[in-house]
Amino acid sequence: MHKPRFLDQLAAELGDREAFGSNVAGRRPFQPDHVEPQWPRDRQADIRHIKLELTLDFGRRAISGTATHRLTAIVDNLLRLEFDAAELEINAVRANGHPVEFSVDDGKLSVMFETLIKAGAELEIAIDYAAVQPRRGLYFVGPDAAYPDKPIEAWTQGEDEDSRYWFPCYDYPNDKATSEVIVTTPSRFTAISNGALVATTPGPLPDTRTFHWRQDVPHSAYLITLAAGEFVEIRDQAGDVPVLYYVHPGREDDARRAFGNTPRMIQFYERIIGVPYPYAKYSQVAVTDFIFGGMENTSATTQTADTLHDERAHLDFSSDPLVAHELAHQWWGDLVTCRDWSHAWLNEGFATYFEALWCEENLGADEFAWNLRQDRANYFSEDSQHYRRPIVYNRYRAPIELFDRFLYEKGALVLHMLRRLLGDALFFKSLNHYCTRHRGQNVITQDLQRAFEETTGRNLDWFFDQWVYKEGHPELEITSSYDDQRKLASVAIKQTHQVNATTPLFRFPAVIALMDADGGETRHQVEIVRREHTFHFPLAKAPKAVRFDPAHDLLKTVKHKRSREALETVLKHAPEAISRGEAASELGKDGSAAAVAALKTALLNDRFWGVQADAAGALGAIRTDAAMDALLEGLSVAHPKARRAVVRALGEFRERAEAASALIELLKRGDASYLVEAEAALALGKTRDGRAFDVLRSVMDRPSHQHVIATHALSAMAELRDERAIDIAREMIPYGRPPRVRVAAAGAMAKLAELSQSRRAEILDRLMPLAEDREFMMRLRIPGALEQIGDPRALDALRRLEQQDLDGRVRRRASEAATAIVEGRTRSEETSRMRAEIDKLREENRRFEERLARLEARSGQNGNP
C-alpha cells in the first residue's frame, strides 16, 4: 500500500501541502498510556481456499453472493468457528453442504457445528450474504448531481482489515489461502481480480456477464481484490508475464505514460531479488476516488486514477515511484507477508526501498540519493513534529496508525544502511535467501535477521536492536582541525542525543573524506561505537574541506560548522550531487557576496537539477539584491524541477517589485510545466505584491493536471492575507468542485481565519460541517484546518469525527487536532493567568514605588539624610 510518498508528491506538487498531515507541533506519545499491546491473533483453522461467487448491483450499490471457505481444523474438539463480517447481512451458512446455526454480533459471524470437529479434519463452509451501500471494503463510485461525469465503478480496498466489509473472512494477515472470484456485472463492464482469468461467460440475467478469476498462489485475505467498470484493457509483456493496464476509454495514452515502465521494473526486480515474478499476470487498474495512492493486491494492483497524466505533466511528474512501490509488494508483502501488523515494515519498508532501487536503476545514483534524502526528511518531520516510536511496535488502536514514516521511510533507510554495511553482493544474496526460504509464508523481523546472518556469517543483533526495536537516530556534532607540525588532520565526532532505555548510543560505520582545493580527496572508513571519537589521519597539508558520510548513507542529523571556502570547494568539486546540494544549502546561511557568486554558478551550471534547486533555495534565504538578480537569471534553467525551485525562491523577496514582476510575467507567458506555473502563483502570493490578487484570480481557471494551478493560486491568495480571498475560497469549497480544489480552499480559509474575528467565526461555521463531508479527502484534511484555526468551538465536530469515521487515519488526525486545540486553549488560559499575575505584580510594585517616593519626600522635608 502506497500512502506517504505518493500522497506527499500529490500534496506538495499539486498544491495542498497540509492535506495529508496534521499541524500538530512538537513531539507527542505515539499512543495514549491506556492503549494495550496488540498480539497476533490465534487461529483455530487453516483456511486453504476462498471462493467468492458474487453479483454487483450498481443501481442499489449492493453486493450479494456466497463466500465458501475450504479449511482444515487446527485445534481439537472444535465446536464453533468465528469469521469477521462487519456490517454484512448473513442469510445462511452451510458446513459441508448442510445448514448450520450461526449468530452475528459486533462484526463477528459465529458458526456452530453439530458435532465436535477433530484437528486435521477438512471442512467447507459456505456463507450466503449481502451488503447494501457498504461503508468500507467495497466502494461504489458513480455520477451524481454535483459530479455528473464521474464514471461508474466498484472497487475494493482490504488493507489493513477491511475485507470483512465486503465478504466474511478471517481478516488478519497470519493466514494464507488460494482464492477465486466469480463475479457477475453488467455486460458493458470489465471485472478484474487476482490471478488468471479462467473464463468470461454470459451472466444469468440479460445484459450481464460473469468473470471467473483464480489465484493459485496463497495470499492473505486483505490482498483479495475486485474492481469493475467500463475499462479498456491495454496489454504489455515482461518476458513470459502478461502485463495489463485497465483505464477508462480515452485515457489509453495516459496509461502508457503512467505504467509503461512496468515490464522493465518486473525484469529488474526479478534480477536483483533472484526470484521470478510469482503470479499468472500483473495488472494495474486506475480507479476513481481511491483512498490510497495504490494497493498491491496480489497480481492485480489498484492505482489511483490521479496518477494518470498528460504529456505536459510528464515533464516533471512521474508515476514510476507509485508503480515501482506496488510492484515490489508482489514479492515483499504478497509472496512473503508480515505475520502481524507490528512487523509491517517487512512489507512497506521493503517496497519503499525497492521503489528507490528502481530510481537508481532507471535514473542513476544522484536521483537515488535525492530519493533517500526525501525519505530522511519525511522521517525527521514525523519524528520531530509528531511522535517517536520503534519500527516494530505493537501498541496501536487501529493497524492503519502504524502505516507512517517509521514503517515506510525509516524502514527503507534501515535497509539501505544494511546494504552499505554488507555490500551489494551479500545484501542481495541475503534477500534472495530470505525470499526463497519464506516464499508463501508469514514472517517476522527475526526471520529477516536470521536470513542475513546465515548468508553473511555476521551477528546483526546490534544492528536490528538499535535501528528496528529501539527508536531515534544519531544526532552528531563534528569538528575538525589540522596539526601542521605533525601533519595530522583530526576529526572529532560526538553523539549528542539523549541516551535512555528507548534511544541507544548508536554503533555504525562511516566514511570521512578529506578534500583538497582541487577536489582531490582521501577517504577513510571509521567505526563509531562510543559517544565521542577523535580520528587522526596523516595528511601532507590541511584539507580544504572535511566531508562526513559524503554519500549521505546514514540516518542521522549533523551539526558541522564549515567555512565558506570549504563549502565552496564541496559545491564545486564533490562527485556526489547530494553533497553539493548540502553545501549549497549551508552557503545560504553565509550571505556574503562570495557565497552568492558561488551559488549563482551552481544554479546556472551544475549538472544535476537538485543542486540547482538547492542553490536557488539558498539564494532565496539570502535575499540580497545580488541573490535576486541571480534567481532572475536562473528562470531560464532547463530542468523544470530546478525552475520550480527558482520561482519558489523568488517568493522569499516579499514586497520586492522586481521579483513579483518576474513571476507575473512568467504567469502571463506560461511555462512548459504546469508545476512551474503553479509554483510561480504560490510564490507571487508570498511576495504580497499589490498586483498579485488580480493575477492569481485570472489563473484560477487555467487547465492543469489535477488542477494544480488553481490549488496553488488559492494557497497564494491565503499568503496575501487579502480578505477577498475568503469569498473566492467559499466559492471553491462546495461539494461538486474538483476535490483537490476543495481541499485547497479549506486550507486557504483556515489560514485566513485570523484576519478578523467576524471572518474567523464565519470561516469556522463554514468548515465545521465538512467534518461530515461525503468526500474522504476532505474529511482527511479538515482536522488540520480546524486545528490551524484553534477555536474550541470546533471540538464537538472533531470529537464526532474521531468517534464515527471508519478510517483510522481520519480518526487519529481528528484526535490529534482536538488535543492540540485543548492544549492551545490551556496554554492560552495559562498565559492569560500569568499575564494577569504580572499585571497585578506590576500594579503592586507601582503602588510600592509611589509609597516609597512619598516617604522619601517626607523624610527630605524633615531634614533626615
Side-chain angles (χ1 to χ4, degrees):
M1 180 169 61
H2 204 303
K3 177 175 72 82
R5 181 182 308 208
F6 181 74
L7 295 183
D8 285 342
Q9 184 183 18
L10 284 175
E13 296 186 347
L14 303 184
D16 180 27
R17 284 168 168 73
E18 296 172 354
F20 302 101
S22 163
N23 300 322
V24 173
R27 189 182 296 149
R28 304 162 182 265
F30 175 58
Q31 296 292 342
D33 290 340
H34 64 80
V35 175
E36 297 291 333
Q38 301 281 339
W39 303 105
R41 285 174 65 171
D42 296 330
R43 292 192 303 147
Q44 294 181 307
D46 179 19
I47 298 175
R48 312 298 294 275
H49 184 73
I50 301 171
K51 180 180 181 181
L52 302 179
E53 299 167 276
L54 307 171
T55 297
L56 293 175
D57 185 336
F58 285 86
R60 296 174 57 237
R61 297 193 169 201
I63 184 172
S64 60
T66 301
T68 303
H69 296 75
R70 190 169 69 243
L71 55 88
T72 302
I74 294 174
V75 301
D76 216 355
N77 298 322
L78 184 63
L79 188 60
R80 174 178 165 276
L81 191 60
E82 193 173 79
F83 293 88
D84 300 299
E87 302 182 6
L88 299 177
E89 177 187 336
I90 306 300
N91 298 314
V93 180
R94 296 173 297 282
N96 291 338
H98 302 289
V100 294
E101 293 185 4
F102 65 91
S103 64
V104 179
D105 183 53
D106 195 25
K108 300 291 184 180
L109 165 65
S110 295
V111 178
M112 279 71 78
F113 306 118
E114 294 182 353
T115 60
L116 294 175
I117 307 299
K118 294 183 178 180
E122 295 186 354
L123 287 171
E124 186 172 273
I125 298 178
I127 305 165
D128 298 336
Y129 74 100
V132 179
Q133 296 185 3
R135 297 192 297 160
R136 298 288 288 177
L138 173 64
Y139 299 80
F140 286 92
V141 175
D144 58 20
Y147 297 103
D149 298 326
K150 186 173 288 190
I152 300 173
E153 297 174 355
W155 45 264
T156 64
Q157 170 56 35
E159 195 175 26
D160 46 42
E161 296 176 5
D162 282 355
S163 287
R164 65 188 69 191
Y165 285 90
W166 73 280
F167 70 96
C169 58
Y170 176 81
D171 199 6
Y172 199 76
N174 68 347
D175 186 90
K176 290 193 168 192
T178 56
S179 67
E180 55 188 315
V181 175
I182 303 168
V183 59
T184 298
T185 72
S187 58
R188 69 184 187 276
F189 287 177
T190 296
I192 302 101
S193 189
N194 312 90
L197 182 61
V198 177
T200 304
T201 58
L205 297 175
D207 198 29
T208 64
R209 59 175 173 167
T210 299
F211 296 83
H212 184 177
W213 292 89
R214 183 179 180 94
Q215 172 61 279
D216 289 328
V217 180
H219 54 167
S220 299
Y222 77 87
L223 293 165
I224 297 177
T225 186
L226 173 61
E230 294 186 70
F231 298 118
V232 294
E233 180 185 89
I234 301 168
R235 301 190 68 87
D236 212 332
Q237 198 79 16
D240 296 330
V241 179
V243 178
L244 312 172
Y245 317 132
Y246 294 93
V247 294
H248 287 286
R251 303 302 302 270
E252 292 88 344
D253 288 344
D254 295 343
R256 293 184 182 94
R257 194 175 293 111
F259 305 141
N261 279 333
T262 305
R264 290 177 55 215
M265 292 179 189
I266 291 175
Q267 293 169 328
F268 169 64
Y269 286 163
E270 287 181 325
R271 185 173 78 249
I272 63 171
I273 301 170
V275 174
Y277 179 80
Y279 308 112
K281 60 98 173 50
Y282 186 60
S283 66
Q284 294 171 91
V285 53
V287 303
T288 305
D289 293 346
F290 196 51
I291 61 173
F292 291 100
M295 177 60 208
E296 67 273 12
N297 311 300
T298 311
S299 81
T301 286
T302 305
Q303 306 279 33
T304 173
D306 287 352
T307 200
L308 302 177
H309 55 280
D310 62 22
E311 189 172 4
R312 185 179 171 194
H314 198 60
L315 288 172
D316 48 352
F317 179 89
S318 173
S319 297
D320 270 14
L322 175 64
V323 174
H325 183 106
E326 303 308 335
L327 175 62
H329 272 308
Q330 302 302 311
W331 287 265
W332 315 117
D334 293 5
L335 189 63
V336 179
T337 310
C338 64
R339 179 198 64 183
D340 64 274
W341 301 118
S342 69
H343 292 272
W345 82 284
L346 299 173
N347 297 13
E348 299 299 347
F350 269 67
T352 303
Y353 190 54
F354 272 71
E355 169 190 337
L357 289 174
W358 166 250
C359 176
E360 182 181 33
E361 167 74 8
N362 188 47
L363 299 175
D366 286 337
E367 290 278 3
F368 173 68
W370 236 254
N371 190 307
L372 294 185
R373 183 173 91 159
Q374 186 59 53
D375 285 345
R376 283 191 296 273
N378 289 338
Y379 158 72
F380 287 140
S381 175
E382 185 127 290
D383 178 79
S384 62
Q385 296 297 315
H386 290 262
Y387 52 79
R388 173 173 284 183
R389 72 171 182 87
I391 291 177
V392 173
Y393 198 63
N394 69 346
R395 287 184 61 237
Y396 55 88
R397 291 163 292 190
I400 195 66
E401 292 183 307
L402 295 173
F403 287 71
D404 59 8
R405 307 302 189 185
F406 300 86
L407 205 70
Y408 286 76
E409 282 92 339
K410 187 176 184 182
L413 294 163
V414 168
L415 288 174
H416 181 67
M417 289 186 290
L418 190 57
R419 176 187 174 192
R420 291 295 188 247
L421 175 70
L422 301 174
D424 280 12
L426 286 176
F427 177 78
F428 289 109
K429 183 179 179 181
S430 298
L431 287 184
N432 173 266
H433 178 44
Y434 168 66
C435 187
T436 302
R437 167 177 283 187
H438 298 289
R439 181 187 183 113
Q441 299 176 7
N442 291 106
V443 289
I444 57 177
T445 301
Q446 289 90 329
D447 295 318
L448 177 69
Q449 180 180 338
R450 188 175 301 112
F452 269 86
E453 290 179 339
E454 290 174 351
T455 302
T456 65
R458 303 277 295 270
N459 184 297
L460 295 171
D461 284 344
W462 63 273
F463 182 91
F464 281 84
D465 179 69
Q466 68 183 19
W467 290 117
V468 179
Y469 300 115
K470 290 193 173 145
E471 60 190 30
H473 51 267
E475 299 171 26
L476 306 177
E477 225 172 64
I478 298 175
T479 57
S480 59
S481 61
Y482 183 74
D483 187 329
D484 193 49
Q485 290 186 337
R486 301 170 62 198
K487 302 300 181 185
L488 281 180
S490 299
V491 179
I493 301 169
K494 181 180 180 180
Q495 299 192 51
T496 60
H497 59 272
Q498 183 179 1
V499 176
N500 53 39
T502 58
T503 302
L505 192 68
F506 286 87
R507 167 185 170 186
F508 53 91
V511 173
I512 297 174
L514 306 176
M515 178 178 280
D516 63 28
D518 297 323
E521 64 180 11
T522 58
R523 295 196 173 197
H524 305 272
Q525 184 83 35
V526 299
E527 184 82 12
I528 308 298
V529 295
R530 300 190 301 271
R531 181 175 285 280
E532 296 187 48
H533 287 271
T534 300
F535 299 100
H536 305 284
F537 308 106
L539 206 63
K541 58 182 179 179
K544 192 68 173 178
V546 174
R547 299 198 294 145
F548 177 81
D549 185 29
H552 289 235
D553 290 323
L554 297 170
L555 179 59
K556 86 287 184 191
T557 60
V558 174
K559 291 181 179 178
H560 185 190
K561 180 67 175 176
R562 295 186 286 184
S563 68
R564 175 181 54 78
E565 292 81 3
L567 293 172
E568 288 178 10
T569 301
V570 174
L571 179 58
K572 184 176 181 180
H573 293 298
E576 304 92 352
I578 194 73
S579 277
R580 300 199 303 276
E582 178 191 46
S585 297
E586 288 187 45
L587 275 172
K589 302 171 187 176
D590 182 285
S592 66
V596 170
L599 289 167
K600 178 180 177 180
T601 299
L603 170 61
L604 299 178
N605 300 303
D606 197 275
R607 57 189 179 275
F608 185 64
W609 69 265
V611 180
Q612 294 178 300
D614 282 350
L619 289 165
I622 292 172
R623 291 196 291 271
T624 61
D625 289 346
M628 185 176 65
D629 290 341
L631 288 167
L632 293 174
E633 192 172 345
L635 285 169
S636 62
V637 295
H639 201 292
K641 289 185 179 181
R643 289 202 306 282
R644 281 157 59 187
V646 171
V647 296
R648 185 183 305 124
L650 284 171
E652 298 298 322
F653 292 82
R654 181 171 294 178
E655 299 173 357
R656 293 293 298 274
E658 303 97 315
S661 294
L663 294 168
I664 291 169
E665 176 60 28
L666 187 152
L667 286 169
K668 286 182 177 178
R669 72 170 183 268
D671 189 274
S673 164
Y674 293 129
L675 297 175
V676 172
E677 287 189 34
E679 199 68 56
L682 182 57
L684 178 60
K686 290 182 176 180
T687 67
R688 297 191 180 169
D689 187 273
R691 299 164 289 172
F693 186 86
D694 290 338
V695 174
L696 292 171
R697 186 164 52 184
S698 73
V699 303
M700 280 287 300
D701 295 327
R702 191 172 290 183
S704 58
H705 175 55
Q706 292 299 320
H707 306 280
V708 60
I709 296 174
T711 58
H712 276 64
L714 280 166
S715 298
M717 289 179 183
E719 294 288 346
L720 283 175
R721 301 178 60 79
D722 188 321
E723 285 198 31
R724 291 177 294 173
I726 298 175
D727 298 319
I728 291 178
R730 284 182 65 95
E731 293 175 12
M732 295 295 108
I733 212 168
Y735 181 78
R737 295 288 189 176
R740 294 192 179 280
V741 174
R742 298 186 68 216
V743 166
M749 291 183 77
K751 190 174 184 67
L752 291 165
E754 59 187 282
L755 290 182
S756 70
Q757 190 61 37
S758 62
R759 301 309 301 261
R760 175 189 175 94
E762 171 193 345
I763 289 169
L764 189 65
D765 289 342
R766 184 66 188 89
L767 294 185
M768 283 193 297
L770 297 177
E772 300 175 8
D773 197 79
R774 281 181 280 180
E775 286 188 329
F776 167 76
M777 189 182 296
M778 181 60 79
R779 298 198 311 278
L780 194 62
R781 170 64 177 98
I782 209 65
L786 294 176
E787 178 188 335
Q788 187 170 358
I789 296 171
D791 195 306
R793 287 174 293 176
L795 287 173
D796 286 345
L798 288 168
R799 294 302 187 199
R800 285 196 302 273
L801 194 60
E802 178 187 1
Q803 294 164 8
Q804 297 175 9
D805 204 277
L806 293 180
D807 192 284
R809 293 167 292 173
V810 175
R811 293 197 303 272
R812 183 178 181 93
R813 288 174 186 178
S815 175
E816 289 177 338
T819 299
I821 290 173
V822 170
E823 290 179 354
R825 178 172 63 179
T826 302
R827 285 193 298 269
S828 178
E829 291 171 350
E830 179 66 14
T831 300
S832 297
R833 187 190 64 78
M834 291 177 65
R835 284 175 177 165
E837 289 289 332
I838 291 170
D839 290 343
K840 181 180 178 181
L841 290 171
R842 283 174 175 165
E843 178 62 20
E844 290 176 353
N845 185 63
R846 184 186 64 79
R847 291 175 180 174
F848 174 78
E849 289 179 347
E850 287 179 352
R851 184 182 176 194
L852 182 62
R854 287 196 300 271
L855 289 172
E856 289 176 344
R858 188 181 307 164
S859 176
Q861 291 171 2
N862 294 335
N864 295 326

